[in-house]
Amino acid sequence: MFLSGQQLKQVFDKAKKERFGIIASNVVFDTQIRGLIQGYNSAGSDGLMQMSAGACKYAAGESEDIEVGARLISSMIQVFASQFPNSGVGLHIDHATPNYFDFIVYCIENKLVTSVMIDASHESLEENIRITKEVVDIAHKHDILVEGEIGRIKGTEDEIVSDVELYTKPEEALEYVMKTNVDLFAASVGTNHGVSKGENIVLRLDLVKEIDDLLIKNGVERGIVLHGASGLTDEQHHQAIKNGVVKINKDTHYQMDMAEAIQEYWEREKYAIVKPDDVSEADYIPNKGKFDPRKWLIHGENRMNETLQEFCRLTGSANKSILL
Ligand code: G3H
Ligand code: ZN
């Protein structure tokens, strides 16, 4: 089922209270959307799908009309999710910078999303607070949740690029949450966007705990968001959740899964489209039963489905849907 903002709030409140993590999965294509929504449903978990500005432009084709792309992705998710009454998925706008303010408002007013991220983390703290507050005021009128960020996450995520890592300062996090009233707070604690290995990063999960404790102490407890979570070890996931993380963002891992599963297929089935050297041109017949796109894309879809179910078991969200 496609979740309302209120329901998504319940999902995160439950996750925070019972200390499990909700996986937020970046998507562009129908193949990914099907694999992941079926995965959430099979795991008995709620979840979030995320679309970036770049994903929406891509989805629109040559026009790159971001609004068309968002409508397309949102309707695929809403229609597909309606088949599954026992697991809820929402749709989130990922890393929308202030340039995309009008786009955020468009998605909110047209009920395309359940939550949005305003990423003004490259601005000064004051400016970040001002812009985020503006988004929160509009979003909350429409029952839409808002995620905001301070600090800077290293790596590349779509149009968001940073060569440096700026760890979030707990006192700034408190000021930001109090002044903006965001629903979800993204902290920069050493994870990287893109290909990375958990063992090789300087992960400061102690900062998550410090921020969480400070917010609780000041009566503004929030779900904390971990970006760039693709390369993390199992233990890092567990510790992050224990320290206050409720939303765990994954993109790169699924991209690898999709590519790997399809590469394995074509390694096996190469001769369905490539003539073997020992067969003559006259005798070679390509195998339609193997090159029909449904035959190979399904391997990517199934792999993502399986990976997501593993993630849900790892983060403890399996069998915890608010709809069960
Ligand atoms: O916002 C999206 C995420 O932070 C994804 O990061 O590609 O490293 O998994 P990732
Ligand atoms: Zn991110």
Side-chain angles (χ1 to χ4, degrees), residues 5 44 89 158 230 250 278:
V89 293
D158 219 79
S230 278
K250 304 265 188 191
D278 59 350

mmCIF file with all atom_site columns, all heavy atoms in Angstrom, residues 5 44 89 158 230 250 278:
data_model
loop_
_atom_site.group_PDB
_atom_site.id
_atom_site.type_symbol
_atom_site.label_atom_id
_atom_site.label_alt_id
_atom_site.label_comp_id
_atom_site.label_asym_id
_atom_site.label_entity_id
_atom_site.label_seq_id
_atom_site.pdbx_PDB_ins_code
_atom_site.Cartn_x
_atom_site.Cartn_y
_atom_site.Cartn_z
_atom_site.occupancy
_atom_site.B_iso_or_equiv
_atom_site.pdbx_formal_charge
_atom_site.auth_seq_id
_atom_site.auth_comp_id
_atom_site.auth_asym_id
_atom_site.auth_atom_id
_atom_site.pdbx_PDB_model_num
ATOM 1  N N   . GLY A 1 5   ? 1.604  10.523  4.630   1.00 0.00 ? 5   GLY A N   1
ATOM 2  C CA  . GLY A 1 5   ? 2.636  11.108  5.488   1.00 0.00 ? 5   GLY A CA  1
ATOM 3  C C   . GLY A 1 5   ? 2.449  10.668  6.937   1.00 0.00 ? 5   GLY A C   1
ATOM 4  O O   . GLY A 1 5   ? 3.419  10.338  7.626   1.00 0.00 ? 5   GLY A O   1
ATOM 5  N N   . GLY A 1 44  ? 7.629  -8.496  4.851   1.00 0.00 ? 44  GLY A N   1
ATOM 6  C CA  . GLY A 1 44  ? 6.667  -7.984  5.844   1.00 0.00 ? 44  GLY A CA  1
ATOM 7  C C   . GLY A 1 44  ? 7.152  -6.670  6.428   1.00 0.00 ? 44  GLY A C   1
ATOM 8  O O   . GLY A 1 44  ? 6.880  -6.324  7.582   1.00 0.00 ? 44  GLY A O   1
ATOM 9  N N   . VAL A 1 89  ? 4.706  1.310   1.411   1.00 0.00 ? 89  VAL A N   1
ATOM 10 C CA  . VAL A 1 89  ? 5.866  2.030   0.888   1.00 0.00 ? 89  VAL A CA  1
ATOM 11 C C   . VAL A 1 89  ? 5.485  3.485   0.644   1.00 0.00 ? 89  VAL A C   1
ATOM 12 O O   . VAL A 1 89  ? 4.364  3.796   0.255   1.00 0.00 ? 89  VAL A O   1
ATOM 13 C CB  . VAL A 1 89  ? 6.446  1.449   -0.434  1.00 0.00 ? 89  VAL A CB  1
ATOM 14 C CG1 . VAL A 1 89  ? 7.053  0.085   -0.237  1.00 0.00 ? 89  VAL A CG1 1
ATOM 15 C CG2 . VAL A 1 89  ? 5.432  1.445   -1.540  1.00 0.00 ? 89  VAL A CG2 1
ATOM 16 N N   . ASP A 1 158 ? 24.278 11.275  -7.519  1.00 0.00 ? 158 ASP A N   1
ATOM 17 C CA  . ASP A 1 158 ? 23.554 11.998  -8.554  1.00 0.00 ? 158 ASP A CA  1
ATOM 18 C C   . ASP A 1 158 ? 24.176 13.377  -8.779  1.00 0.00 ? 158 ASP A C   1
ATOM 19 O O   . ASP A 1 158 ? 25.349 13.466  -9.092  1.00 0.00 ? 158 ASP A O   1
ATOM 20 C CB  . ASP A 1 158 ? 22.089 12.097  -8.121  1.00 0.00 ? 158 ASP A CB  1
ATOM 21 C CG  . ASP A 1 158 ? 21.169 11.904  -9.297  1.00 0.00 ? 158 ASP A CG  1
ATOM 22 O OD1 . ASP A 1 158 ? 20.961 10.750  -9.682  1.00 0.00 ? 158 ASP A OD1 1
ATOM 23 O OD2 . ASP A 1 158 ? 20.701 12.913  -9.845  1.00 0.00 ? 158 ASP A OD2 1
ATOM 24 N N   . SER A 1 230 ? 25.582 2.100   1.495   1.00 0.00 ? 230 SER A N   1
ATOM 25 C CA  . SER A 1 230 ? 25.759 0.885   0.683   1.00 0.00 ? 230 SER A CA  1
ATOM 26 C C   . SER A 1 230 ? 26.883 -0.037  1.145   1.00 0.00 ? 230 SER A C   1
ATOM 27 O O   . SER A 1 230 ? 26.744 -1.242  1.119   1.00 0.00 ? 230 SER A O   1
ATOM 28 C CB  . SER A 1 230 ? 25.991 1.256   -0.785  1.00 0.00 ? 230 SER A CB  1
ATOM 29 O OG  . SER A 1 230 ? 24.748 1.504   -1.395  1.00 0.00 ? 230 SER A OG  1
ATOM 30 N N   . LYS A 1 250 ? 20.090 3.571   0.613   1.00 0.00 ? 250 LYS A N   1
ATOM 31 C CA  . LYS A 1 250 ? 20.886 2.667   -0.235  1.00 0.00 ? 250 LYS A CA  1
ATOM 32 C C   . LYS A 1 250 ? 20.604 2.963   -1.708  1.00 0.00 ? 250 LYS A C   1
ATOM 33 O O   . LYS A 1 250 ? 19.441 2.985   -2.129  1.00 0.00 ? 250 LYS A O   1
ATOM 34 C CB  . LYS A 1 250 ? 20.475 1.213   0.012   1.00 0.00 ? 250 LYS A CB  1
ATOM 35 C CG  . LYS A 1 250 ? 20.558 0.742   1.445   1.00 0.00 ? 250 LYS A CG  1
ATOM 36 C CD  . LYS A 1 250 ? 21.860 0.050   1.719   1.00 0.00 ? 250 LYS A CD  1
ATOM 37 C CE  . LYS A 1 250 ? 21.861 -0.583  3.088   1.00 0.00 ? 250 LYS A CE  1
ATOM 38 N NZ  . LYS A 1 250 ? 23.208 -1.036  3.472   1.00 0.00 ? 250 LYS A NZ  1
ATOM 39 N N   . ASP A 1 278 ? 32.636 -21.320 -34.280 1.00 0.00 ? 278 ASP A N   1
ATOM 40 C CA  . ASP A 1 278 ? 32.568 -22.570 -35.047 1.00 0.00 ? 278 ASP A CA  1
ATOM 41 C C   . ASP A 1 278 ? 31.218 -22.805 -35.741 1.00 0.00 ? 278 ASP A C   1
ATOM 42 O O   . ASP A 1 278 ? 30.942 -23.885 -36.218 1.00 0.00 ? 278 ASP A O   1
ATOM 43 C CB  . ASP A 1 278 ? 32.904 -23.762 -34.117 1.00 0.00 ? 278 ASP A CB  1
ATOM 44 C CG  . ASP A 1 278 ? 31.944 -23.854 -32.942 1.00 0.00 ? 278 ASP A CG  1
ATOM 45 O OD1 . ASP A 1 278 ? 31.150 -22.890 -32.741 1.00 0.00 ? 278 ASP A OD1 1
ATOM 46 O OD2 . ASP A 1 278 ? 31.969 -24.872 -32.230 1.00 0.00 ? 278 ASP A OD2 1
#
